[in-house]
Amino acid sequence: MNKTELIAHLAAKHELTKAEAGRILETLLDAVVSTVKKGGAVAIPGFGSFKQHARAARTGVNPSTGDKIKIAAAKLPKFTPGAGFKAAVDPKAAARKAAKVAAAPAKAAAKPAAKAAAKPAAKPAAKAAKK
């Protein structure tokens, strides 16, 4: 889907003219770009977040000559998809992650109980060995 198709989709979905939908989309994109440009972050729950990522200066290699070159530091936009977006794209992975998270508390609760049960039994055995 390109920008024109997105504008047409917004216009049809919300009973707007294409011009109104285009202005709304431009306002949204302008707000995201200006906020990230200033170093801020834009978080849309369930969709994802946009933020600025600083890449440090580094030394690279020119593949054709093999010479070392300096690559300047750069500020780049970064998008991190949200859990809802990831789940919509790959529902099977979301189900696996949910099962893993559900199993983790059960394992965590079992560990302290096992340790507590093992400690009292170990102490009398150690005292008997000393005698």
Side-chain angles (χ1 to χ4, degrees), residues 5-65:
E5 292 169 338
L6 182 58
I7 289 171
H9 180 76
L10 286 172
K13 187 87 171 177
H14 296 286
E15 299 177 6
L16 302 168
T17 65
K18 287 184 182 179
E20 290 171 334
R23 286 193 298 271
I24 291 169
L25 183 60
E26 284 298 321
T27 303
L28 174 69
L29 295 176
D30 183 49
V32 170
V33 169
S34 63
T35 302
V36 172
K37 183 178 177 181
K38 292 177 185 174
V42 177
I44 303 170
F47 181 70
S49 62
F50 300 88
K51 56 186 166 185
Q52 191 180 94
H53 175 72
R55 187 166 58 192
R58 61 195 190 282
T59 304
V61 177
N62 183 341
S64 61
T65 63

Side-chain angles (χ1 to χ4, degrees), residues 44-123:
I44 303 170
F47 181 70
S49 62
F50 300 88
K51 56 186 166 185
Q52 191 180 94
H53 175 72
R55 187 166 58 192
R58 61 195 190 282
T59 304
V61 177
N62 183 341
S64 61
T65 63
D67 294 338
K68 292 191 177 200
I69 57 173
K70 291 182 179 179
I71 302 171
K75 293 178 183 176
L76 303 169
K78 182 177 180 182
F79 173 72
T80 305
F85 188 26
K86 287 181 187 178
V89 172
D90 191 1
K92 289 182 182 178
R96 286 191 304 267
K97 185 174 181 179
K100 188 176 181 181
V101 169
K107 286 183 181 179
K111 284 183 181 180
K115 284 184 180 180
K119 282 185 180 180
K123 285 183 181 180

